Amino acid sequence: RPRSHTHRRLMATFQVQVEDMVGTVETSVGSGTSDTTAIASWLTDGAKEVINAMPSNLLILCSSEQTFTPQAVGSEAETLNTGKIFNVRRYDGTIDQPCRMILSHIKGKASDPHDMDYATATDPVYYIENNFVNILPSASSSVGKYSEVQYPTVAESASSIASFPDEAEYLVVLYAAMKAVERISANYNVDEDPEMAMSRKIQYDWLSGQYSKGIQILRGR
């Protein structure tokens, strides 16, 4: 079962936590050596799935600030890595002015001083088009800023995940443990070893139940 957060952070790597739950995830049957590449892949996939389940108040803990130079309409600006962005601002030389979002098809109006959607230095706008974000008005001297959720790459040798809420780390371990049980179970012949197969099924069901319960709690925050 998952250890306390304090003990995990001080003592155990993610690989050890997974192995404590399910045993060695062998690279081949009878090898006795864990497949660290697979464990790292499961941890990374788990972190992404957990992030996708997070409410907005936790997503901000998985983000980092990005900066770029706002461009004129018709020029691509900043390429996005994910669709989860927020806190878009435009530095006007004194302060970061918050940007209001507009739909990309009216971006031309934001450059028209006679239109109600006209963007100014004190009332800037931003829009997302295709896979990039831009801020208006454009100016080589201004700086566009936004927070973007990042999907981390999680190493099996790590014991914590950067830019990730501590209270959700155990869910990543549970996800990896579920995948590990699936791998381990594939090494057993159900007909030859039905007791072991049943034991692994019970183990998987417990892990899956704990993971689902944790995701529900996470979403309810």
Side-chain angles (χ1 to χ4, degrees):
R1 294 173 184 265
R3 302 176 178 182
S4 69
H5 171 72
T6 300
H7 184 68
R8 289 190 297 112
R9 176 62 68 91
L10 295 177
M11 298 296 295
T13 66
F14 290 134
Q15 178 180 339
V16 169
Q17 292 177 54
V18 171
E19 290 175 340
D20 282 350
M21 291 182 182
V22 304
T24 301
V25 188
E26 296 177 323
T27 54
S28 60
V29 178
S31 71
T33 302
S34 272
D35 188 341
T36 55
T37 299
I39 293 174
S41 178
W42 296 328
L43 290 166
T44 297
D45 290 345
K48 184 174 184 178
E49 182 165 300
V50 172
I51 287 174
N52 287 337
M54 285 181 186
S56 57
N57 65 308
L58 289 181
L59 275 179
I60 196 169
L61 301 180
C62 303
S63 67
S64 62
E65 184 174 85
Q66 310 295 321
T67 61
F68 69 99
T69 302
Q71 302 293 315
V73 172
S75 298
E76 292 188 0
E78 176 77 350
T79 300
L80 296 174
N81 294 312
T82 76
K84 295 179 172 63
I85 70 166
F86 41 87
N87 197 22
V88 183
R89 298 98 67 207
R90 181 184 184 276
Y91 183 66
D92 63 5
T94 304
I95 65 171
D96 287 338
Q97 295 284 358
C99 299
R100 54 186 170 90
M101 183 178 184
I102 63 171
L103 298 176
S104 61
H105 71 271
I106 65 169
K107 60 184 182 290
K109 292 185 175 182
S111 300
D112 182 354
H114 302 293
D115 195 279
M116 63 182 297
D117 289 310
Y118 181 57
T120 67
T122 56
D123 182 28
V125 302
Y126 80 97
Y127 61 92
I128 296 173
E129 187 169 43
N130 299 324
N131 68 326
F132 67 89
V133 60
N134 192 27
I135 290 174
L136 298 173
S138 62
S140 60
S141 59
S142 66
V143 179
K145 302 179 181 181
Y146 64 98
S147 296
E148 182 179 48
V149 171
Q150 305 290 303
Y151 292 119
T153 298
V154 186
E156 80 289 344
S157 58
S159 58
S160 63
I161 305 173
S163 300
F164 195 89
D166 291 348
E167 62 266 43
E169 285 184 353
Y170 80 100
L171 292 171
V172 176
V173 176
L174 284 171
Y175 180 94
M178 287 191 300
K179 295 300 180 182
V181 171
E182 290 178 352
R183 163 74 73 82
I184 294 170
S185 296
N187 291 336
Y188 292 98
N189 185 308
V190 176
D191 295 328
E192 293 180 359
D193 199 345
E195 290 185 3
M196 180 60 71
M198 178 57 68
S199 174
R200 287 301 184 184
K201 181 182 184 306
I202 292 172
Q203 185 178 46
Y204 181 87
D205 289 345
W206 183 85
L207 290 167
S208 179
Q210 292 298 303
Y211 178 77
S212 297
K213 184 185 299 182
I215 290 295
Q216 290 176 0
I217 293 173
L218 191 72
R219 285 173 171 161
R221 287 181 175 273

Coordinates of all heavy atoms in Angstrom, one line a residue, residues 73-106:
V73 N -1.2 41.1 -36.4 CA -2.1 40.2 -37.0 C -1.6 39.7 -38.3 O -1.1 40.4 -39.1 CB -3.5 40.9 -37.2 CG1 -4.4 39.9 -38.0 CG2 -4.1 41.2 -35.9
G74 N -1.7 38.4 -38.5 CA -1.2 37.8 -39.7 C 0.2 37.1 -39.5 O 0.6 36.3 -40.4
S75 N 0.8 37.4 -38.4 CA 2.1 36.7 -38.1 C 1.9 35.8 -36.9 O 1.2 36.1 -35.9 CB 3.1 37.8 -37.7 OG 3.4 38.7 -38.8
E76 N 2.4 34.6 -37.0 CA 2.3 33.6 -35.9 C 3.2 34.1 -34.8 O 4.3 34.7 -35.0 CB 2.8 32.2 -36.4 CG 1.8 31.6 -37.4 CD 2.2 30.2 -37.6 OE1 3.1 29.7 -37.0 OE2 1.5 29.5 -38.4
A77 N 2.7 33.9 -33.6 CA 3.4 34.3 -32.4 C 4.1 33.1 -31.7 O 5.0 32.6 -32.1 CB 2.5 35.1 -31.5
E78 N 3.5 32.7 -30.6 CA 4.1 31.7 -29.7 C 3.4 30.4 -29.9 O 2.2 30.3 -29.7 CB 4.0 32.2 -28.2 CG 4.4 31.2 -27.2 CD 6.0 31.2 -27.1 OE1 6.7 31.8 -27.9 OE2 6.5 30.5 -26.2
T79 N 4.2 29.4 -30.2 CA 3.6 28.0 -30.4 C 3.3 27.4 -29.0 O 4.1 27.5 -28.1 CB 4.6 27.1 -31.1 OG1 4.9 27.7 -32.4 CG2 4.1 25.7 -31.3
L80 N 2.2 26.8 -28.9 CA 1.7 26.2 -27.6 C 2.1 24.7 -27.6 O 2.1 24.0 -28.6 CB 0.2 26.3 -27.5 CG -0.3 27.8 -27.4 CD1 -1.9 27.7 -27.4 CD2 0.2 28.5 -26.1
N81 N 2.5 24.3 -26.4 CA 2.8 22.9 -26.2 C 1.5 22.1 -25.7 O 1.4 20.9 -26.0 CB 3.9 22.7 -25.1 CG 5.2 23.3 -25.6 OD1 5.6 23.0 -26.7 ND2 5.8 24.1 -24.7
T82 N 0.6 22.8 -25.0 CA -0.6 22.2 -24.6 C -1.7 23.3 -24.7 O -1.5 24.4 -25.0 CB -0.6 21.8 -23.1 OG1 -0.7 23.0 -22.2 CG2 0.7 21.1 -22.7
G83 N -3.0 22.8 -24.6 CA -4.1 23.7 -24.7 C -4.5 24.3 -23.3 O -5.4 25.1 -23.2
K84 N -3.7 24.0 -22.3 CA -4.0 24.5 -20.9 C -3.1 25.7 -20.6 O -2.0 25.6 -20.1 CB -3.7 23.3 -19.9 CG -4.7 22.2 -20.1 CD -4.4 21.1 -19.0 CE -5.4 20.0 -19.1 NZ -5.5 19.3 -20.3
I85 N -3.6 26.9 -20.9 CA -2.9 28.1 -20.6 C -3.8 29.0 -19.9 O -5.1 29.0 -20.0 CB -2.3 28.8 -21.9 CG1 -3.5 29.4 -22.7 CG2 -1.5 27.9 -22.7 CD1 -3.0 30.4 -23.8
F86 N -3.3 29.9 -19.1 CA -4.1 30.9 -18.3 C -3.1 32.0 -17.9 O -1.9 32.0 -18.1 CB -4.7 30.2 -17.1 CG -3.9 29.2 -16.4 CD1 -3.0 29.7 -15.4 CD2 -3.9 27.9 -16.7 CE1 -2.2 28.8 -14.7 CE2 -3.1 27.0 -16.0 CZ -2.2 27.4 -15.0
N87 N -3.7 33.0 -17.2 CA -3.0 34.1 -16.7 C -2.2 34.8 -17.8 O -1.0 35.1 -17.6 CB -2.0 33.7 -15.6 CG -1.5 34.8 -14.7 OD1 -2.1 35.9 -14.6 ND2 -0.4 34.6 -14.0
V88 N -2.8 35.2 -18.9 CA -2.1 35.8 -20.0 C -2.0 37.3 -19.7 O -3.0 38.0 -19.4 CB -2.9 35.6 -21.3 CG1 -2.1 36.2 -22.5 CG2 -3.1 34.1 -21.6
R89 N -0.8 37.9 -19.9 CA -0.6 39.3 -19.6 C 0.3 39.9 -20.7 O 1.0 39.2 -21.4 CB 0.1 39.5 -18.2 CG -0.6 39.0 -17.0 CD -0.2 37.6 -16.6 NE 1.2 37.6 -16.1 CZ 2.0 36.6 -16.1 NH1 1.6 35.5 -16.7 NH2 3.2 36.7 -15.6
R90 N 0.3 41.2 -20.7 CA 1.2 42.0 -21.6 C 1.9 43.0 -20.8 O 1.2 43.9 -20.2 CB 0.4 42.6 -22.7 CG 1.2 43.4 -23.7 CD 0.3 44.1 -24.7 NE 1.0 44.8 -25.8 CZ 1.5 46.1 -25.6 NH1 1.3 46.8 -24.5 NH2 2.1 46.7 -26.7
Y91 N 3.2 42.9 -20.7 CA 4.0 43.9 -20.0 C 4.1 45.2 -20.8 O 4.6 45.2 -21.9 CB 5.4 43.4 -19.7 CG 6.2 44.3 -18.8 CD1 5.9 44.6 -17.5 CD2 7.4 44.9 -19.4 CE1 6.7 45.4 -16.8 CE2 8.2 45.7 -18.6 CZ 7.8 46.0 -17.3 OH 8.6 46.9 -16.6
D92 N 3.6 46.3 -20.2 CA 3.6 47.6 -21.0 C 4.7 48.5 -20.7 O 4.7 49.7 -21.1 CB 2.2 48.3 -20.7 CG 2.1 48.7 -19.3 OD1 3.0 48.5 -18.5 OD2 1.0 49.2 -18.9
G93 N 5.7 48.0 -20.0 CA 6.9 48.8 -19.6 C 6.8 49.2 -18.1 O 7.9 49.6 -17.6
T94 N 5.7 49.1 -17.5 CA 5.5 49.4 -16.1 C 4.9 48.2 -15.3 O 5.5 47.8 -14.3 CB 4.6 50.6 -15.9 OG1 5.1 51.7 -16.7 CG2 4.5 51.0 -14.5
I95 N 3.8 47.7 -15.8 CA 3.2 46.6 -15.1 C 2.7 45.5 -16.1 O 2.7 45.8 -17.4 CB 2.0 47.0 -14.3 CG1 0.9 47.6 -15.2 CG2 2.3 48.0 -13.2 CD1 -0.5 47.8 -14.5
D96 N 2.4 44.4 -15.6 CA 1.8 43.3 -16.5 C 0.3 43.6 -16.5 O -0.4 43.5 -15.5 CB 2.0 41.9 -15.9 CG 3.4 41.5 -16.0 OD1 4.1 42.0 -16.9 OD2 3.8 40.6 -15.2
Q97 N -0.2 43.9 -17.7 CA -1.6 44.2 -17.9 C -2.3 42.9 -18.3 O -1.9 42.2 -19.2 CB -1.9 45.2 -19.1 CG -1.3 46.6 -18.8 CD -2.2 47.4 -17.9 OE1 -3.2 46.9 -17.4 NE2 -1.8 48.6 -17.6
P98 N -3.4 42.5 -17.5 CA -4.1 41.3 -17.9 C -4.8 41.4 -19.2 O -5.3 42.4 -19.6 CB -5.2 41.2 -16.8 CG -5.4 42.6 -16.3 CD -4.0 43.2 -16.4
C99 N -4.8 40.3 -20.0 CA -5.3 40.3 -21.3 C -6.7 39.6 -21.3 O -6.9 38.6 -20.6 CB -4.4 39.5 -22.3 SG -2.8 40.2 -22.5
R100 N -7.6 40.2 -22.1 CA -8.9 39.5 -22.2 C -8.9 38.7 -23.5 O -8.2 39.0 -24.5 CB -10.1 40.5 -22.3 CG -9.9 41.6 -23.4 CD -11.0 42.7 -23.3 NE -10.7 43.8 -24.1 CZ -11.0 43.9 -25.4 NH1 -11.7 43.0 -26.0 NH2 -10.7 45.0 -26.1
M101 N -9.6 37.5 -23.4 CA -9.5 36.6 -24.6 C -10.6 37.0 -25.6 O -11.7 37.4 -25.3 CB -9.8 35.2 -24.1 CG -9.7 34.1 -25.2 SD -9.9 32.4 -24.6 CE -9.6 31.5 -26.1
I102 N -10.2 36.9 -26.9 CA -11.1 37.1 -28.0 C -11.0 35.9 -28.9 O -10.1 35.1 -28.9 CB -10.8 38.4 -28.8 CG1 -9.4 38.3 -29.4 CG2 -10.9 39.6 -27.9 CD1 -9.2 39.4 -30.4
L103 N -12.0 35.7 -29.7 CA -12.0 34.6 -30.7 C -11.1 35.0 -31.9 O -11.0 36.2 -32.2 CB -13.4 34.3 -31.2 CG -14.4 33.8 -30.2 CD1 -15.8 33.7 -30.8 CD2 -13.9 32.5 -29.5
S104 N -10.4 34.1 -32.4 CA -9.4 34.4 -33.4 C -10.0 35.1 -34.7 O -9.3 35.8 -35.3 CB -8.6 33.1 -33.8 OG -9.5 32.2 -34.4
H105 N -11.3 34.8 -35.0 CA -11.8 35.3 -36.2 C -12.1 36.8 -36.1 O -12.4 37.5 -37.1 CB -13.1 34.6 -36.6 CG -14.3 34.8 -35.7 ND1 -14.5 34.0 -34.6 CD2 -15.3 35.7 -35.8 CE1 -15.6 34.5 -34.1 NE2 -16.1 35.5 -34.8
I106 N -12.0 37.4 -34.9 CA -12.2 38.9 -34.8 C -10.9 39.6 -34.5 O -10.9 40.7 -34.0 CB -13.3 39.2 -33.8 CG1 -12.9 38.8 -32.4 CG2 -14.6 38.6 -34.1 CD1 -13.8 39.4 -31.3

